[in-house]
Amino acid sequence: RQLLDDTERFVIDGLDKYSLDDRLLNLATGQPPEADWGEEMLREVLLAEGTLPHGPAGAASLRERQVEIGRFTRQLEEAGLILEPGKAVDVDMELGDFKIRGQLTRFAAETQLCLRPATIKGGDFLQAWLRHLLWHAQPGANAAGTAVVGSDKGKLEQYTLTAPNDAAAHLSDLLELFWLGQSAPLRLFPQSSHAFAKKIQSDPDAIAPAMKVAREKWEGSEFSFPEKDDDYYDLCFRHTDPLEGDDFSDTARRVFGPILELATNPDKK
């Protein structure tokens, strides 16, 4: 595999587009560090990183993404999801042998927001779930719902994670999986595992159909990136089929099952 790209880019796509959108969203909603830098410094950082193409092509790409982020933030405001700059929840806790310290940001009134200015994917649910559990596990945090908000064909898409029965227990289970993953590759893939768990949730006996949709995410198509082509997955599972066996299905249920149980979509009754 070629580790370094020696071609000059003229467009922004793939993960670079997602990363750029997220940073522009931070800038537009007053979130650090981009909001502290300002638009001009952010542009210089993007050029220095090689994320933004040089010259007119880079300027046009940046303007295009700024227009899309502007539309997304207006939709958030129309939905009453107005971020409060500076609002944050400090995380400082111990679970067994683990210590977790950090800060949760992006809040609108009493709702924690996990934003993606694109179609919501399995990885977004997983990230939101971790933030949701950390919030609810804080003593006296007065935690409420966590909204996972994306954009589907230009329209706002929203799911809300409701309160878990025992946030600390869910976190401990995820930490156990994390620790297992330090000694052997964990057969957990955000898109494929989420697709499997979602199908199983709607029909617990549909093992074969669930594996089919998971494999579609793993193998990809002309319209979607194959999850198996991720460089890290390729390194860990080259010449093997990580979707075979119970490890994949059991881990998918274990991680995404609780998320799907608590995720509600107000637009789908």
Side-chain angles (χ1 to χ4, degrees), residues 10-212:
F10 293 95
V11 295
I12 303 172
D13 54 16
L15 291 177
D16 286 333
K17 178 180 174 183
Y18 172 74
S19 176
L20 175 59
D21 284 353
D22 195 57
R23 297 168 86 169
L24 289 174
L25 187 60
N26 282 343
L27 179 65
T29 56
Q31 303 296 309
E34 288 78 12
D36 298 330
W37 295 346
E39 183 175 338
E40 184 58 30
M41 181 176 287
L42 175 58
R43 187 183 70 83
E44 293 177 1
V45 169
L46 293 169
L47 286 170
E49 292 175 342
T51 300
L52 193 66
H54 286 269
S61 295
L62 185 59
R63 282 197 300 272
E64 177 188 358
R65 300 320 308 158
Q66 286 174 319
V67 168
E68 286 300 310
I69 295 303
R71 177 186 56 77
F72 184 64
T73 54
R74 286 193 298 272
Q75 290 177 325
L76 289 174
E77 292 174 358
E78 291 168 1
L81 301 173
I82 302 174
L83 274 84
E84 299 182 24
K87 182 172 181 178
V89 172
D90 292 325
V91 175
D92 189 350
M93 60 186 300
E94 294 187 14
L95 283 174
D97 295 328
F98 293 91
K99 294 182 179 180
I100 306 174
R101 293 188 177 93
Q103 192 176 70
L104 301 173
T105 59
R106 286 187 177 173
F107 288 87
E110 301 305 317
T111 302
Q112 180 178 204
L113 299 181
C114 293
L115 306 175
R116 177 188 171 95
T119 305
I120 298 172
K121 295 185 177 181
D124 303 306
F125 281 111
L126 185 54
Q127 182 186 86
W129 179 235
L130 288 169
R131 290 165 57 93
H132 188 60
L133 293 176
L134 287 168
W135 188 23
H136 278 263
Q138 297 306 299
N142 195 28
T146 295
V148 191
V149 188
S151 179
D152 184 19
K153 298 178 181 178
K155 295 183 179 180
L156 211 64
E157 180 184 26
Q158 177 181 339
Y159 293 83
T160 299
L161 296 173
T162 56
N165 289 329
D166 191 337
H170 284 297
L171 274 175
S172 294
D173 190 52
L174 292 176
L175 286 170
E176 182 180 334
L177 285 173
F178 165 79
W179 193 245
L180 288 173
Q182 304 310 296
S183 57
L186 199 64
R187 300 193 179 204
L188 175 67
F189 315 102
Q191 313 313 328
S192 305
S193 300
H194 175 254
F196 176 88
K198 187 176 180 180
K199 185 66 177 178
I200 284 294
Q201 186 203 38
S202 62
D203 186 354
D205 296 323
I207 303 297
M211 285 302 303
K212 182 176 183 294

